[in-house]
């Protein structure tokens, strides 16, 4: 061995004899394995379901996580832990005093420690949620960009600059969003990011045959990353110095991944038989023959990702630079457990019999299973004192906070003539930029190559594009005519992204957690074309699941973009807006509505979640993100004073543009760009339904959510009524409601359920045809004639 038996191992933050590091590693392996075993075999599982999918994946990362959490990380560092290593994460947090025993015992149970690390549902110190593979990885690089943004703006000085670390499964590297993020990171001079790959060559289904390291190294180096391969542990490295040792290493290098995995599972006898067959070099054979079974198995499986000394060396060495680094750490899935290397081990669980053996091997007596120090041959006090001084944990749970930014009354552009909501959005932002002040300074915008076409241009002209290094706008410098002035620099407030919607949502997720992760409040606004929400939907869901706060402005939308391209027409997005937890969606018709919504949204995204839960309308109380579905169709604006009642109706989700008479027989409820069609139809229908009402629905989502919350309250015996119940109350019992929007008709058809009215729901179910707006509204039946026909169903017109 190259190391003396109990050599001191030093890192930038800590020095211990290697035995201490190994004891911590052993404890982490024991606890993480026991958490899963307990959830399956010792807790009452009355549904009889076994919860697999963690034991082998967790064991794979134990050494890497031990090295990082106990020797390398500092409080300012933030980590995304691959989903199936959640038991390792919770075990470490338990050792550090941030996780309770009850939660561990309840792993995967209701209210217990979560199956995948969760910022919102776990009580311990999760930095980034994971679950949908690939997203947590990319999230770290966007978080690092946000850290740079904040510091470049002169903020965040009370909290040191940290490193954003992802613990990555090797199969996770098949997710395309990772490569989108790599390219984006390269463009923005990414720093302070580490991706530590658990290279066990196993995915969920199988052992991966392809030797990928060369390809990965090329990709990462090409993107400006440093690649550190941690392949051999110290035992294997030591073979080099021995006669025949190199031949053994060559054999490992050439060994097929499947065979290597199978031998890891088989153990010493398997290794001996296979090596006897394959190794012809005399020295190598003598070397192998001299090893007893235990030494042979320990040597052949001594991969770098399980060798604390090798890991500590590699990590420690990389701390001297801020260059992004990818560590490819060779590991064995299930290492240290009887499941090791088996190709089917992803959902594998140790049997009670195997667990008994594992417990004995760890010197754990009955009743000591949850002890932090049992079985280590160290005094409980000494071991716990050593854990308590872990540098990473010096500041305890690291949820930061930031003061709220006062929103006040937004400065508004003149609202008159024909305008589109998209145009209004651009003008309101331009006014905010012009007015300046704290609100303007904390807004940050971002867009995946649709900045100009979503009308962010005027904002960017005033506030500049963000870059770590100043860059002049060549066109401007040469006095060439251009509407866009794209000077770049550290003071810029727009982050321009390439066309990758996944990146947009991950960027918004990172910006939208800035208050909690970096202690600085950002007010992020992202724009994209409405149909392409679907392209990044999982990343949007991921952002919302972490309770990131941002405003998403999606424009153009629906078939209203008419001649521009059938492929760009969005139908289902209003339903996405309704169904997506954590985001309140709006689709205004008029610019004054949009201005009210924007003002409200800037406050809503800053509301702080309360700890206590109940059957209240949680998002209304706790805040969330906001999605605005806007249009490029210019429509005549209504000139009206913004009364408090009107403002309230817009935010609650709807108001009567023409209130119905008591007992009215018809209401037309419309959303968004079809306002003129609804108004025209109303004019015609008043002959038949004299007291009919015209309802502007600014947010089907909030109207519906308010109704659902009131229903829950009613089910609990409380007499609460929702906004939509009040709105529809004047209508006759047998009144008809015609709903219409440029989107899926189901968005509004539920309104019939509120008081039992009959609904004719108009909307778009098919798409893809170019044409003029009248052509398409007629074709898809959302024009005035269709509204009239729907209102008159079963009645004779004169
Ligand atoms: C987007 C997504 N697709 C599928 C899954 C299901 N899944 C969970 S883990 C996994 C593969 C894990 O392989 P790897 O990342 O190498 O981790 P290991 O199993 O080796 O620990 C899959 C397919 C998922 N969590 N997310
Ligand atoms: Mg793997």
């Amino acid at each position: 061995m190259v190391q003396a038996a109990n050599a001191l191992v030093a890192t930038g933050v800590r020095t211990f004899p290697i035995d201490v590091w190994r004891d911590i590693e052993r404890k982490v392996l024991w606890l993480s394995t026991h958490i899963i075993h307990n959830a399956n075999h010792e807790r009452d599982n009355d549904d009889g379901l076994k919860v697999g999918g963690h034991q082998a994946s967790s064991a794979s990362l134990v050494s890497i996580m031990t090295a990082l959490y106990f020797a390398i990380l500092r409080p300012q560092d933030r980590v995304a832990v691959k989903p199936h290593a959640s038991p390792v994460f919770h075990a470490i947090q338990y050792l550090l005093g941030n996780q309770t025993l009850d939660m561990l015992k309840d792993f995967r149970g209701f209210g217990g420690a979560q199956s995948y690390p969760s910022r919102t549902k776990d009580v311990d110190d999760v930095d980034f949620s994971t679950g949908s593979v690939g997203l947590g990885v990319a999230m770290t690089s966007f978080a690092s960009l946000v850290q740079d943004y904040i510091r470049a703006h002169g903020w965040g000085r009370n909290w040191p600059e940290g490193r954003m670390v992802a613990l990555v499964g090797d199969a996770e590297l098949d997710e395309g969003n990772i490569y989108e993020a790599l390219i984006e990171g390269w463009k923005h001079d990414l720093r302070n990011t580490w991706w530590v790959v658990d290279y066990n060559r196993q995915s969920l289904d199988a052992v991966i045959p392809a030797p990928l390291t060369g390809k990965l190294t090329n990709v990462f180096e090409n993107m400006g990353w440093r690649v550190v391969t941690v392949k051999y542990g110290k035992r294997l490295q030591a073979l080099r110095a021995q006669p025949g040792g190199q031949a053994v290493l060559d054999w490992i290098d050439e060994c097929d991944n499947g065979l290597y995995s199978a031998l890891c599972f088989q153990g010493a006898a398997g290794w001996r038989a296979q090596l006897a067959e394959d190794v012809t070099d005399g020295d190598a054979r003598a070397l192998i023959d001299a090893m007893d079974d235990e030494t042979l198995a320990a040597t052949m499986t001594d991969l770098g990702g399980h060798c604390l000394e090798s890991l500590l060396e590699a990590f420690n060495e990389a701390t001297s630079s801020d260059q992004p680094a990818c560590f490819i750490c060779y590991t064995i899935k299930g290492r240290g457990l009887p499941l090791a290397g088996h190709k089917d081990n992803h959902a594998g669980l140790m049997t009670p019999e195997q667990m008994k053996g594992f417990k004995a091997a760890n010197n754990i007596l009955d009743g000591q299973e949850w002890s932090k120090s049992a079985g280590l041959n160290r005094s409980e006090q000494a071991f716990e004192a050593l854990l308590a001084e872990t540098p990473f944990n010096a500041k305890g749970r690291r949820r930061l906070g930031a003061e709220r930014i006062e929103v006040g009354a937004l400065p508004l552009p003149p609202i008159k003539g024909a305008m589109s909501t998209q145009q209004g959005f651009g003008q309101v932002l331009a006014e905010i930029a012009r007015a300046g002040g704290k609100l303007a300074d904390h807004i940050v915008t971002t867009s995946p190559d649709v900045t100009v076409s979503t009308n962010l241009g005027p904002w960017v002209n005033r506030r500049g594009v963000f870059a770590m290094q100043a860059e002049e706008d060549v066109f401007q410098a040469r006095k060439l005519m251009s509407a866009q002035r794209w000077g770049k620099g550290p003071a810029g407030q727009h982050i321009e992204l390439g066309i990758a919607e996944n990146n947009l949502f991950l960027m918004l997720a990172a910006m939208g957690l800035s208050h909690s992760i970096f202690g600085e409040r950002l007010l992020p606004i992202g724009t994209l074309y409405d149909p392409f929400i679907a392209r990044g939907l999982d990343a949007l869901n991921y952002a919302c699941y972490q309770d990131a706060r941002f405003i998403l402005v999606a424009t153009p939308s629906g078939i209203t973009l008419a001649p521009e391209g059938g492929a760009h027409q969005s139908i289902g997005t209003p339903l996405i807006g309704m169904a997506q937890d954590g985001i309140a969606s709006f689709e205004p018709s008029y610019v004054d509505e949009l201005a009210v919504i924007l003002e409200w949204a800037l406050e809503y995204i800053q509301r702080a979640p309360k700890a206590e839960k109940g059957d209240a309308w949680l998002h209304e109380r706790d805040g969330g993100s906001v999605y605005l579905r806007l249009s490029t169709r210019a429509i005549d604006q209504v000139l009206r004073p913004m009364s408090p009642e009107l403002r309230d109706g817009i935010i609650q989700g709807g108001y009567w543009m023409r209130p119905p008479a008591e007992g009215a027989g018809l209401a037309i409820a419309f959303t968004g760009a079809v306002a003129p069609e609804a108004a025209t139809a109303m004019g015609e229908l008043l002959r038949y339904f004299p007291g009919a009402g015209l309802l502007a629905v600014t947010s089907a989502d909030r109207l519906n959510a308010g109704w659902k919350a009131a229903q829950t309250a009613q089910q609990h015996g409380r007499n609460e009524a929702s906004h939509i119940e009040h709105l529809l109350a004047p209508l006759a019992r047998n009144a008809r409601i015609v709903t219409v929007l440029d989107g899926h008709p189901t968005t509004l058809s539920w309104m019939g359920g509120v008081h039992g009215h009959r609904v004719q729901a108009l909307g778009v179910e098919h798409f893809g045809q170019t044409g003029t707006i009248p052509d398409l509204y007629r074709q898809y039946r959302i024009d005035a004639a269709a509204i009239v026909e729907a209102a008159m169903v079963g009645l004779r017109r004169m």
Side-chain angles (χ1 to χ4, degrees):
M1 300 294 304
V2 282
Q3 294 277 339
N6 200 12
L8 280 183
V9 178
T11 73
V13 302
R14 270 186 137 179
T15 303
F16 284 137
I18 188 66
D19 281 5
V20 177
W21 297 114
R22 291 216 177 102
D23 276 358
I24 302 175
E25 178 192 32
R26 229 169 119 196
K27 192 40 85 178
V28 173
L29 177 62
W30 162 259
L31 280 172
S32 54
T33 308
H34 181 62
I35 289 169
I36 306 157
H37 182 77
N38 177 73
N40 281 286
H41 294 289
E42 288 168 28
R43 197 168 73 208
D44 287 341
N45 268 341
D46 41 12
D47 56 6
L49 284 179
K50 296 286 181 214
V51 289
H54 282 97
Q55 233 159 21
S57 283
S58 285
S60 194
L61 260 174
V62 162
S63 315
I64 292 171
M65 288 176 70
T66 302
L68 285 173
Y69 278 94
F70 293 94
I72 301 291
L73 296 179
R74 305 149 303 166
Q76 62 268 34
D77 299 329
R78 301 286 184 172
V79 192
V81 177
K82 79 169 186 184
H84 287 93
S86 142
V88 186
F89 173 78
H90 293 310
I92 289 173
Q93 291 284 318
Y94 172 66
L95 288 175
L96 295 177
N98 300 326
Q99 178 60 288
T100 68
L101 179 55
D102 285 348
M103 291 282 184
L104 287 195
K105 287 185 172 170
D106 234 358
F107 175 66
R108 287 181 75 145
F110 184 67
Q114 298 292 297
S115 341
Y116 309 130
S118 168
R119 264 188 80 77
T120 47
K121 307 287 187 253
D122 272 317
V123 295
D124 48 6
D125 204 11
V126 176
D127 293 320
F128 303 116
S129 302
T130 57
S132 180
V133 298
L135 298 181
V137 182
M139 176 74 177
T140 55
S141 68
F142 289 101
S144 180
L145 295 180
V146 169
Q147 178 173 254
D148 277 347
Y149 179 92
I150 282 171
R151 299 178 79 81
H153 284 78
W155 301 323
R157 296 309 160 100
N158 298 332
W159 185 248
E161 187 169 277
R163 196 172 290 121
M164 306 296 125
V165 180
L167 303 176
V168 189
D170 53 345
E172 206 168 357
L173 290 171
D174 287 336
E175 286 289 0
N177 82 280
I178 288 182
Y179 302 91
E180 295 177 0
L182 266 182
I183 294 176
E184 200 59 59
W186 175 76
K187 291 188 211 161
H188 295 275
D189 301 323
L190 181 70
R191 308 183 306 132
N192 294 319
T193 306
W194 280 9
W195 289 356
V196 183
V197 181
D198 172 14
Y199 193 66
N200 60 24
R201 288 139 289 134
Q202 278 193 254
S203 60
L204 190 158
D205 281 340
V207 176
I208 302 153
L212 271 178
T213 44
K215 307 271 175 216
L216 291 174
T217 303
N218 284 344
V219 169
F220 278 92
E221 287 183 348
N222 224 335
M223 292 296 151
W225 289 54
R226 174 165 175 218
V227 177
V228 182
T229 304
V230 192
K231 181 163 187 178
Y232 297 131
K234 294 290 174 190
R235 272 173 190 269
L236 280 173
Q237 287 174 30
L239 288 189
R240 278 207 190 98
Q242 300 193 37
Q246 191 55 48
V248 176
L249 294 176
D250 291 346
W251 180 88
I252 294 181
D253 282 353
E254 279 157 30
C255 185
D256 162 77
N257 288 344
L259 175 60
Y260 185 85
S261 292
L263 293 173
C264 287
F265 180 72
Q266 283 181 299
W271 289 113
R272 213 174 278 290
Q274 188 66 43
L275 291 167
E277 209 172 292
D278 293 353
V279 176
T280 49
D281 177 274
D283 287 340
R285 293 192 82 124
L287 185 64
I288 294 161
D289 290 346
M291 294 186 203
D292 62 21
D293 277 0
E294 198 182 325
T295 313
L296 179 65
T299 306
M300 296 306 289
T301 57
D302 180 41
L303 299 185
H306 299 302
C307 172
L308 282 172
E309 292 114 304
S310 305
L311 288 167
L312 291 172
E313 262 170 35
F315 292 142
N316 201 36
E317 218 256 307
T319 53
S320 57
S321 154
D322 67 1
Q323 184 184 3
C326 172
F327 299 85
I328 301 179
C329 304
Y330 278 71
T331 54
I332 296 161
K333 186 161 166 175
R335 147 88 185 202
L337 309 179
L339 310 166
H342 197 289
K343 69 182 176 61
D344 307 335
N345 65 10
H346 189 80
L349 276 175
M350 283 161 68
T351 62
E353 224 23 64
Q354 288 174 324
M355 201 60 195
K356 222 181 257 173
F358 185 59
K359 186 166 150 183
N362 278 281
N363 301 326
I364 309 265
L365 305 177
D366 285 347
Q368 293 182 331
E369 291 84 353
W370 299 107
S371 156
K372 295 186 186 178
S373 58
L376 297 181
N377 241 344
R378 288 180 196 277
S379 87
E380 186 177 328
Q381 274 157 323
F383 192 65
E384 293 211 12
L386 179 151
L387 293 174
E389 280 171 23
T390 303
F392 172 69
N393 206 32
K395 301 206 166 145
R397 196 164 176 268
R398 300 147 310 130
R399 286 295 156 99
L400 309 180
E403 61 167 26
R404 287 193 194 198
I405 309 297
E406 184 65 36
V407 178
L410 295 186
L412 297 183
I415 299 171
K416 56 179 193 237
M419 289 175 85
S420 72
T421 46
Q422 190 207 68
Q423 191 186 353
F425 164 70
Q427 291 184 7
V428 173
L429 265 196
E431 290 301 323
I432 296 174
R434 194 199 327 256
K438 208 163 180 182
L439 176 72
D441 291 346
H442 284 260
I443 289 176
V444 51
T445 57
T446 183
S447 184
D449 201 26
V450 289
T451 300
V452 174
S453 49
T454 56
N455 241 347
L456 271 180
W459 160 268
V460 177
N461 282 348
R462 287 191 183 276
R463 292 278 156 170
V465 176
F466 174 72
M468 290 294 276
Q469 309 295 334
E471 256 175 65
E472 68 175 10
D473 177 345
V474 176
F475 275 69
Q476 206 184 345
R478 293 174 173 243
K479 303 202 170 19
L480 300 175
M481 284 278 284
S482 163
Q484 318 298 337
R485 293 186 294 278
W486 284 53
K488 293 184 181 174
Q493 283 180 247
H494 173 75
I495 300 190
E496 180 68 9
L497 300 172
I499 329 169
E501 286 73 18
N502 267 305
N503 283 343
L504 170 74
F505 291 121
L506 292 171
M507 182 52 116
L508 288 172
M511 288 170 164
L513 287 176
S514 168
H515 52 283
S516 180
I517 297 210
F518 302 117
E520 290 295 338
R521 174 89 53 193
L522 293 178
L523 302 171
I525 300 179
T527 67
L528 85 169
Y529 292 178
D530 195 56
F532 304 131
I533 286 180
R535 181 70 168 256
L537 197 49
D538 196 28
L540 170 63
N541 184 54
Y542 176 71
C544 291
Y545 177 58
Q546 307 202 66
D547 202 22
R549 302 300 180 86
F550 52 87
I551 299 172
L552 181 66
V553 181
T555 165
S557 61
I559 59 168
T560 302
L561 57 78
E564 209 182 300
H568 285 14
Q569 297 162 354
S570 58
I571 292 178
T573 45
L575 295 176
I576 291 174
M578 290 179 84
Q580 178 60 56
D581 191 14
I583 198 160
S585 64
F586 289 86
E587 185 168 354
S589 302
Y590 300 104
V591 176
D592 62 351
E593 296 171 354
L594 169 78
V596 165
I597 295 165
L598 212 47
E599 188 176 296
W600 174 86
L602 287 163
E603 181 275 320
Y604 181 75
I605 62 171
Q606 299 188 64
R607 286 184 200 169
K610 312 267 185 317
E612 84 283 4
K613 297 289 174 202
D615 58 5
W617 181 4
L618 293 179
H619 285 301
E620 182 59 5
R621 189 192 69 187
D622 295 350
S625 288
V626 176
Y627 157 35
L628 308 182
R629 187 176 191 251
L630 303 187
S631 175
T632 39
R633 184 186 189 194
I635 61 175
D636 285 334
Q637 300 297 302
V638 249
L639 304 179
R640 54 188 170 184
M642 183 52 64
S643 68
E645 295 73 37
L646 178 55
R647 183 182 298 272
D648 184 59
I650 291 168
I651 296 307
Q652 297 248 24
Y655 64 91
W656 288 111
M657 286 209 51
R658 184 182 194 285
E662 198 61 42
L666 173 73
I668 298 174
F670 69 92
T671 280
V674 296
E677 283 64 31
T680 305
M682 176 98 296
E684 196 171 318
L685 286 163
L686 281 173
R687 298 168 48 200
Y688 307 101
F689 301 93
L694 182 62
L695 183 66
V697 177
T698 46
S699 173
D701 180 25
R702 283 177 54 81
L703 271 187
N704 184 267
W707 179 45
K708 174 77 172 56
Q711 284 189 318
T712 306
Q714 289 154 17
Q715 288 154 19
H716 286 119
R718 292 202 307 278
N719 189 19
E720 285 176 25
S722 59
H723 188 55
I724 187 68
E725 286 167 278
H726 288 305
L727 284 172
L728 300 183
L731 300 182
R733 192 77 191 81
N734 64 352
R736 328 171 138 218
I737 301 178
V738 178
T739 63
V740 59
L741 79 156
D742 179 3
H744 199 276
T746 307
T747 312
L748 293 175
S749 63
W750 57 271
M751 281 169 52
V754 176
H755 294 308
H757 290 115
R758 276 182 302 158
V759 166
Q760 294 281 330
L762 301 179
V764 183
E765 292 162 292
H766 309 285
F767 74 110
Q769 181 62 259
T770 48
T772 62
I773 288 177
D775 285 342
L776 296 187
Y777 280 16
R778 191 178 324 113
Q779 173 68 19
Y780 296 113
R781 296 194 49 76
I782 55 172
D783 62 353
I787 297 170
V788 171
E789 282 156 17
M792 299 298 292
V793 166
L795 300 175
R796 224 173 318 129
R797 284 167 76 178
M798 290 179 286

